[in-house]
Amino acid sequence: MIARKIFNNNILLAEDKKQSEVILMGKGIGFALKPGDTVDTSKIEKRFLIDSEEMTKKFISLMDDIPPRHLELTKMIVDSAEKELNTKFDDLIYVALADHINFAVKRVRDNEFVQNALHWEIQRFYKKEFDAAKEAVSLIEYHEKIKLSEDEVSFIAMHFVNGQQSGQLMEKTVETTKIIHDILNIVKFHFKINLDEDSINYTRFVTHIRFFLQRRTDQIIDSDQFLFEQFQRKYTNTYSCCIKISNYLDTKINRGLNNEEMLYFMIHIIRLIEPKV
């Protein structure tokens, strides 16, 4: 593997045997290297493939604009979050999160603070990612000797959510969060109740909505029509609520609920509003 651009002692751009460009990270991997030198592959701790010329330019531009220590800090944060969440993030998180951390640190030092309009939703709908982001903020504060706002926790949590969805655009994560918020409001206003956000049934329902939105397919799944009709007759008010949800989804993502999905939404809502069921 040949070094192409040395960013610092721990980060470099290299070319592999297939002439593909890769970003390599590892303690001392770039020390004393010059472009054209052979890379000591035993020092590689993290590598990710640059799959387009545009992404290569974006990464190099990023490295020119931010202190390399912020990318090293990003790697530390990503490693910690992957362990805590028991997941593997898309490699693009390194670029997006490093960029965010750089601007977040700069904003604090310039006494500029940005509110996250989805802070409440992120904290409640993505609890595991939010908790992992708290640890990330602690790492940033320790290494940069600054104090970040609570909103930064939810901003970083959004990167963790986004990073688990194969490069999905952040806009899609924001849209998903708003849709979950709206569906829960439909349930709350329809039944005129407050929901127990700490209950396991609440968590299950939110998770179900997230998976439903990620799937977003129009394929017809063979449903238990008899069971659906039984629930439809027995839980008329819940069915009415699901019709509202289906109509809302139709306006937001151009797809309502089929009978299979309607049945599962009804089951989750029944458990949510009648915990003993």
Side-chain angles (χ1 to χ4, degrees), residues 1-2 4-8 10-16 20-26 29 39 44-52 55-63 71 75 91-92 94-95:
M1 197 170 291
I2 305 301
R4 291 302 178 209
K5 186 175 178 66
I6 317 302
F7 298 114
N8 66 7
N10 305 316
I11 308 168
L12 58 85
L13 175 69
E15 186 178 281
D16 63 17
S20 298
E21 291 185 314
V22 292
I23 299 299
L24 302 178
M25 304 173 70
I29 195 170
V39 177
I44 298 174
E45 296 176 11
K46 170 66 186 175
R47 73 174 77 196
F48 60 96
L49 186 67
I50 301 295
D51 58 4
S52 69
M55 184 54 64
T56 301
K57 290 179 180 177
K58 184 178 291 187
F59 188 91
I60 292 174
S61 175
L62 178 69
M63 293 305 300
L71 189 58
K75 181 182 182 299
D91 284 341
L92 292 178
Y94 287 92
V95 176

Side-chain angles (χ1 to χ4, degrees), residues 30-218:
F31 179 72
L33 281 187
K34 301 184 295 297
D37 288 348
T38 300
V39 177
D40 182 353
T41 55
S42 68
K43 293 182 177 180
I44 298 174
E45 296 176 11
K46 170 66 186 175
R47 73 174 77 196
F48 60 96
L49 186 67
I50 301 295
D51 58 4
S52 69
E53 183 178 346
E54 179 183 357
M55 184 54 64
T56 301
K57 290 179 180 177
K58 184 178 291 187
F59 188 91
I60 292 174
S61 175
L62 178 69
M63 293 305 300
D64 288 339
D65 290 341
I66 72 170
R69 71 176 187 277
H70 285 173
L71 189 58
E72 294 170 6
L73 180 56
T74 299
K75 181 182 182 299
M76 192 184 308
I77 288 170
V78 169
D79 288 346
S80 174
E82 285 184 335
K83 289 179 182 177
E84 187 169 344
L85 297 172
N86 192 28
T87 190
K88 185 70 176 175
F89 293 128
D90 187 282
D91 284 341
L92 292 178
I93 194 173
Y94 287 92
V95 176
L97 187 55
D99 195 34
H100 176 85
I101 289 171
N102 181 57
F103 277 106
V105 171
K106 185 176 184 299
R107 284 198 304 267
V108 170
R109 289 181 173 149
D110 290 342
N111 290 313
E112 298 174 358
F113 299 94
V114 177
Q115 288 188 324
N116 188 338
L118 295 175
H119 179 76
W120 184 92
E121 289 85 353
I122 293 292
Q123 185 175 4
R124 285 158 179 77
F125 303 160
Y126 304 101
K127 290 183 180 180
K128 292 180 180 179
E129 288 84 357
F130 191 84
D131 288 342
K134 285 182 180 178
E135 177 62 25
V137 165
S138 295
L139 285 170
I140 296 169
E141 290 178 338
Y142 175 79
H143 287 278
E144 292 296 321
K145 312 302 180 194
I146 58 173
K147 180 65 178 176
L148 295 171
S149 70
E150 182 80 357
D151 289 88
E152 280 304 323
V153 178
S154 51
F155 277 126
I156 292 174
M158 289 172 71
H159 281 282
F160 290 163
V161 173
N162 195 61
Q164 296 175 74
Q165 300 177 25
S166 300
Q168 175 174 288
L169 294 176
M170 183 63 77
E171 289 83 355
K172 195 67 68 178
T173 298
V174 171
E175 180 194 36
T176 296
T177 305
K178 288 180 178 178
I179 290 174
I180 294 172
H181 173 78
D182 289 346
I183 289 175
L184 289 169
N185 273 341
I186 289 172
V187 175
K188 285 194 288 188
F189 286 119
H190 181 86
F191 292 99
K192 297 180 174 60
I193 59 171
N194 290 319
L195 302 178
D196 181 1
E197 297 168 5
D198 296 321
S199 72
I200 186 64
N201 289 325
Y202 181 91
T203 301
R204 285 170 176 163
F205 186 41
V206 169
T207 300
H208 180 75
I209 299 170
R210 286 173 63 181
F211 285 143
F212 167 81
L213 293 171
Q214 287 173 21
R215 194 169 65 246
R216 288 203 185 184
T217 175
D218 291 322

